[in-house]
Amino acid sequence: MSKSVIIIDDDEDTVRLFSEFLEEKGINVVGNGFDGVTAVKLYKKLKPDVALIDLNMPNGSGFYAIKKIQEFQPKARIIAVTADTSTETEEKLQKLNVPVVQKPFNIEHIVSSINE
């Protein structure tokens, strides 16, 4: 059965491209959002198998969304998507036990991360 995914990124083109590529690969995109606050609401409502969340967004960063989601769903499968390659960001994500995919992203890498 295909995995359900929500895609959260403040760049609408990125969300659209992600959605199209993942649907082509047989992954069920059940929701899209453009900020951290929406990410938390969508996760609670849709309970997806995986959440792809950008880190640098207005109205609640990706870190905000990840922490809020993990508060009520500690085993949530979240993949951070970011262009930020700093050691500080990497260390924060390791503490949260969240893998990261770097932008520009490789869609095959994303698909394999979702299907793990």
Side-chain angles (χ1 to χ4, degrees):
M1 190 172 122
S2 77
K3 301 271 186 179
S4 62
V5 175
I6 59 171
I7 301 169
I8 312 297
D9 195 305
D10 61 330
D11 181 66
E12 291 185 32
D13 289 335
T14 299
V15 171
R16 185 179 45 76
L17 281 172
F18 254 147
S19 297
E20 289 172 8
F21 283 133
L22 294 178
E23 292 280 352
E24 282 177 19
K25 299 292 184 180
I27 292 168
N28 186 19
V29 178
V30 295
N32 295 321
F34 306 102
D35 60 67
V37 171
T38 303
V40 176
K41 288 178 185 170
L42 281 175
Y43 194 94
K44 284 182 177 177
K45 178 181 171 190
L46 302 171
K47 298 176 178 59
D49 295 317
V50 180
L52 295 172
I53 301 178
D54 182 29
L55 295 181
N56 299 316
M57 298 181 290
N59 196 24
S61 70
F63 284 112
Y64 164 85
I66 291 166
K67 289 174 185 170
K68 288 292 185 189
I69 290 168
Q70 287 180 337
E71 280 175 17
F72 66 85
Q73 181 51 269
K75 295 190 186 301
R77 289 245 5 251
I78 301 169
I79 299 171
V81 182
T82 187
D84 181 348
T85 58
S86 73
T87 305
E88 180 187 348
T89 296
E90 207 170 290
E91 287 171 359
K92 281 184 186 175
L93 290 170
Q94 282 177 346
K95 285 180 185 164
L96 293 167
N97 199 26
V98 172
V100 64
V101 173
Q102 296 293 334
K103 289 180 182 177
F105 55 85
N106 173 323
I107 198 65
E108 296 301 329
H109 179 71
I110 302 249
V111 170
S112 67
S113 295
I114 289 170
N115 286 323
E116 279 180 354

